[in-house]
């Protein structure tokens, strides 16, 4: 069985000269046996994915343009390796598409839902165009010991009320500060809803997010602010369809501040978030940490999210999560996590999606036992 | 036109250290001009795919973990290269999703429907998680001279009544014996339907399959047994929708035994299968062989499948198939196959799907002329 | 961060021997900020893709079979890198599938809609099977300074009435003349609609296209003729649904002749097209050119398309387009284009799709500012 090398593409399209290039192929396949039990609601045991890191398949590359400049691309598919499906993306940062029926189970093809960008970079920083994470999401995942994956995902994301741009945005133009600012870092992202100018909700899905931070030695702290526009009627309709939180309103704001300190024997981290959806506010926080243990790592967090309903009762969900990751190598790890959500004031959050929910004020618990393999 | 090498991915995700890795990119593009004529029904001539081997595009890799252990992944897309579409997968080993309309023609994206797994292996064997072939399918394809592809596909698969897990299962946990057992081989697979525990058909789509065999010199024989759970009502509804065979019932069993003897100048093979869908039984068999001829190979088989209907008449379909494969290289082959199905007792099986069917008791014939290119 | 090589696949499928192989991975990520203004209709600003070259991700390879023969494959995905979606393909060269609802926004997975072929080639030319460009499309794109991409796309394609096979065809069998005929080149393509033989519109979507040309030194000229069959009733229904032009009829013909002369300081090009859809005729033309300017290139064109309606008024759309491409390297370019369409006799063509249309006889203008990165 002989092996040979992958010769890379030289573009032969009309009008485009050929050039040498290189592509990096990368990915993660993460499978987990997950058990979720919802008090007063359904329980389920399943093989699912992304309990530790999100499963993905990606293609990326960078070209040196000389003079400190470079161009690069990044195309990354999210994949459900338990059944082979891909995941949908969002083309306009809005929920209005929900008028159409969801695809038949098993038919969702692969999309570059995780990231599809082209960049130009230099000493002045990087301009990035396409679909990407929003800055306002970043503080939640970076300062969550569970990296917003699996049953341990911070409740400040699991219960978040901010809708389609809570994690990623399409049609975005991003700017990143260069890496040589003495520990300061930052980014600004503008994204478009791309509605025609002659409709009432023409600004729906258009917004911006920013993030600034400072990292030095064991210390890292960052602040993120954002705003996405939605007309009141649109949000009300989307909420009725389960799309945007649970309340009528207009614009969406998602803000947070997070930080961590690496003590060597443990890394402590936390974040605080304040979000709004029209006239509805919500606040959340997390404290947690990572403790290296030989080839492994203990992970723990305590997080909370409270929605300040105009109606009176402020539904609140609190999650405790504890886990252990055992690294078989740098690429392959076994992991297990236990998490429990306690709901009050009418909240009914489940520990993980897709498996039903507890009754109001019921608790939900979940368990992951999985393997993460990266390449 | 210069060439450069694909540099492989080093994972840069938070919390995951970088590591050296390698990925194998592989695939098959198989195109065939196919003519199907159905007695009393429609005929059609088309360019289709997978007449000799199933068209696919895949990514796989193995990491040596030391101490005889290894981790690996396998992601494999099925593709219809005549028109560029992908193929749907099945997320829960059930047909219930058929309540939703099928995707518009031409819109089915690529999925890892053929296989999406992550494995951990050692001297003790291999544990494999994800979507994979079922063991009960394997004896049919291994002991079919046409490898269950093209118009020559064994009738024991073409008419099979066993539904969603007849070929592959999602959400599976598989175990494979190591390869050093003196010719003995075997595997066990458990797969989950992942229904909530508070519904009547909570076990639908959950099942297991096993396979044991022995291979030595020219001889190879294997037995496979399996069972998948479905509540009676579910199967009845699915059958009405054309999903699961043609009869109401409850659980599904798919069993078979197959073997082959390589005489050098010819390889003879055969299998016998006994399946059931609730109270409906079915039995099938195949005899066939492969005869090397210079750079090519003659393929022939005779197969039959009979459904033991409670209603009385036992619809039976018999297929004769004859083909020739001419290898232009180890990777590229031209092939042609002729097959004819004779139906009796009310059966109306066509020689290949997607082209209508003959009238009851009518015959169907098909012809493939194609090229298979692998990479 | 170490790098290693991608070891290529050696097929391990039953009955197929292993062989050495190589795969080329290639692609383009092209993002553009696009502004479209429609007189009397909506305007929109968006981040979109393929303003200069069509965004894509592809896999291809060639195997030397010896004796001057070779086998090859080509699988190419079209991608919308502004949001991560793929694009639908067409499985039968017909519009009849439009009875089914379009996929929910954001769910369209990747397909090999741009090309999925397997070829056998030798001194006698190349036979190519699968989905590919139609010959009748080629003269339009090769002899358009804007390569039928972005707001500058020739009006002879933007307004074309010829339906599903105007650009590509599935289920095609193509033949290409070899490259050593002293400047003469040519191809013939037959494609199938694959309908059953017992329906009235059994020939729908079946057709052929041919192209012959001559290139020598600065000179290049080519002629293309084609015909696709559709029954009158089918076309009428499709037209009502917006599928095929705007008139009832029967067969479709798409013909054109194009040429260019490279003066060194400028490349002049033009084409003339005559199409028909049943009893409706249409005629179009383009003149334009490319002018190298240092590391860049100025592009300009003037094009027109007129539909000869039986009803009387002959709707006509005229486009003027002017652009500049600045090459940062052979692989990466910045570009900008301005285009304006003037409509008369009731036409209402927009400068780019997806952003609404002007009122009848209104004008439409568009602007692209983007980056094209290839790999």
């Amino acid at each position: 069985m002989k092996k040979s090398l992958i010769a890379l593409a030289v573009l032969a399209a009309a009008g485009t000269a050929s050039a040498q290039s290189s592509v990096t192929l990368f990915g993660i396949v993460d499978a987990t046996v997950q058990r979720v039990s919802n008090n007063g609601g359904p329980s389920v045991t399943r093989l699912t994915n992304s309990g530790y890191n999100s499963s993905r398949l990606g293609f990326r590359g960078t070209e040196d343009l000389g003079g400190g400049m470079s161009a690069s691309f990044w195309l990354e598919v999210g994949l459900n390796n338990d059944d082979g499906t891909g995941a949908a993306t969002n083309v306009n940062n809005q929920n209005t598409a929900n008028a159409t029926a969801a695809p038949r189970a098993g038919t969702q093809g692969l999309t570059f839902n995780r990231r599809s960008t082209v960049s130009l970079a230099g000493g002045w920083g990087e301009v990035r165009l396409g679909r990407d994470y929003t800055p306002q999401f970043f503080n939640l995942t970076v300062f969550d010991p569970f990296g917003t994956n699996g049953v341990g995902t911070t409740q400040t994301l699991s219960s978040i009320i901010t809708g389609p741009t809570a994690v990623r945005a399409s049609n975005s133009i991003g700017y990143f500060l260069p890496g040589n600012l003495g520990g300061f870092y930052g980014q600004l992202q503008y994204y478009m809803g791309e509605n025609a100018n002659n409709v009432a909700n023409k600004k729906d899905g258009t917004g911006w997010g920013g993030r600034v931070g400072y990292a030095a030695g064991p210390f890292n702290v960052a602040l993120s602010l954002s705003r996405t526009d939605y007309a009141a009627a649109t949000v009300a309709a989307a909420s009725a369809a389960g799309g945007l939180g649970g309340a009528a309103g207009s614009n969406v704001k998602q803000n947070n501040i997070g930080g961590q300190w690496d003590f060597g024997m443990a890394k402590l981290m936390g974040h605080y978030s304040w979000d709004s959806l029209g006239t509805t506010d919500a606040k959340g926080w997390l404290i947690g940490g990572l403790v290296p243990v030989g080839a492994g790592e203990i992970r723990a967090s305590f997080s909370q999210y409270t929605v300040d309903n105009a109606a009176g009762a402020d539904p609140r969900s609190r999650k405790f999560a504890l886990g252990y990751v055992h690294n078989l190598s740098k690429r392959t790890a076994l992991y297990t996590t236990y998490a429990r959500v306690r709901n009050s004031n009418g909240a009914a959050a489940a520990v993980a999606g897709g498996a039903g929910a507890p009754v109001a004020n019921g608790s939900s618990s979940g368990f992951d036992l999985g393997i993460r393999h990266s390449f």
Side-chain angles (χ1 to χ4, degrees), chain A:
Chain A
M1 197 167 104
K2 300 221 171 183
K3 294 177 176 182
S4 70
L5 308 176
I6 290 196
L8 274 178
V10 270
L11 182 68
T16 311
S18 296
Q20 184 174 336
S21 72
S22 77
V23 176
T24 298
L25 180 60
F26 65 99
I28 293 176
V29 184
D30 179 324
T32 174
V33 176
Q34 185 176 93
R35 168 82 185 167
V36 176
S37 300
N38 293 305
N39 194 292
S43 299
V44 71
T45 302
R46 56 184 180 184
L47 184 79
T48 185
N49 60 80
S50 309
Y52 178 28
N53 289 157
S54 296
S55 293
R56 69 194 70 174
L57 176 67
F59 308 86
R60 58 186 166 83
T62 299
E63 179 196 19
D64 186 348
L65 295 171
M69 296 266 289
S70 65
S72 59
F73 77 97
W74 190 301
L75 298 170
E76 188 176 317
V77 162
L79 62 98
N80 301 313
N81 45 285
D82 46 327
D83 55 35
T85 54
T89 178
N90 182 307
V91 299
N92 62 1
N93 308 318
Q94 298 160 59
N95 273 317
T96 46
N98 286 357
T100 316
R104 179 188 286 202
T107 66
Q108 178 58 57
L110 310 175
T111 74
F112 291 114
N113 66 306
R114 289 186 54 84
R115 181 169 165 187
S116 63
T117 61
V118 56
S119 291
L120 203 58
W124 40 266
E126 175 189 349
V127 170
R128 188 184 294 177
L129 306 175
R131 178 171 176 82
D132 199 5
Y133 283 126
T134 53
Q136 57 265 35
F137 167 71
F138 234 72
N139 276 348
L140 299 181
T141 196
V142 168
F143 299 120
D144 174 7
F146 293 91
T148 59
N149 269 308
V151 297
T153 299
T154 172
Q155 203 61 30
T156 55
L157 182 69
S158 294
S159 287
I160 204 163
I161 61 173
T162 53
T165 58
V167 176
R168 291 183 182 88
S170 289
N171 316 310
S172 78
I173 303 174
Y175 168 71
F176 293 75
L177 289 174
N180 55 358
L181 302 180
F184 283 101
Y185 58 89
Q187 70 177 108
L188 195 61
Q189 185 188 54
Y190 174 73
Y191 40 88
M192 290 178 264
E194 303 190 341
N195 302 302
N197 73 330
N198 61 353
V199 294
N201 59 343
K202 63 182 177 184
K203 294 172 73 179
D204 276 20
T206 297
W208 61 267
R211 183 172 183 248
V212 290
Y214 177 74
F219 179 70
N220 188 6
V221 64
L223 167 74
S224 179
L225 304 173
S226 75
R227 171 184 161 141
T228 312
D229 279 14
Y230 298 99
T234 307
V235 172
S239 294
L244 270 184
S250 51
N251 300 328
V252 159
K253 294 176 187 171
Q254 180 176 333
N255 312 296
N256 43 65
I257 185 167
Q260 67 178 30
W261 193 284
D262 191 344
F263 294 95
M265 57 164 282
K267 186 187 289 183
L268 289 188
M269 58 180 67
H271 62 252
Y272 177 78
S273 65
W274 61 108
D275 307 323
S276 65
L277 165 64
T279 58
T280 300
D281 292 325
K283 287 183 176 59
W285 51 261
L286 170 140
I287 54 169
L290 300 168
V291 182
V293 184
E297 187 178 57
I298 294 172
R299 312 192 291 169
S301 74
F302 193 62
S303 59
Q304 173 180 309
Y305 199 76
T306 308
V307 179
D308 184 6
N309 262 344
D314 295 346
R316 190 184 69 192
S317 301
R318 278 186 176 166
K319 178 185 277 188
F320 170 72
L322 181 65
Y324 174 66
V325 176
H326 184 74
N327 294 303
L328 298 175
S329 73
K330 289 180 177 174
R331 293 169 50 197
T332 304
L334 301 176
Y335 62 88
T336 185
T337 309
Y338 171 81
R340 185 171 183 87
V341 171
R342 293 181 186 276
N343 293 292
S344 54
N345 297 339
V351 86
V359 295
N361 300 320
S363 64
S364 175
S365 62
F367 176 78
D368 270 328
L369 176 60
I371 179 171
R372 190 281 324 272
H373 177 63
S374 64
F375 56 93

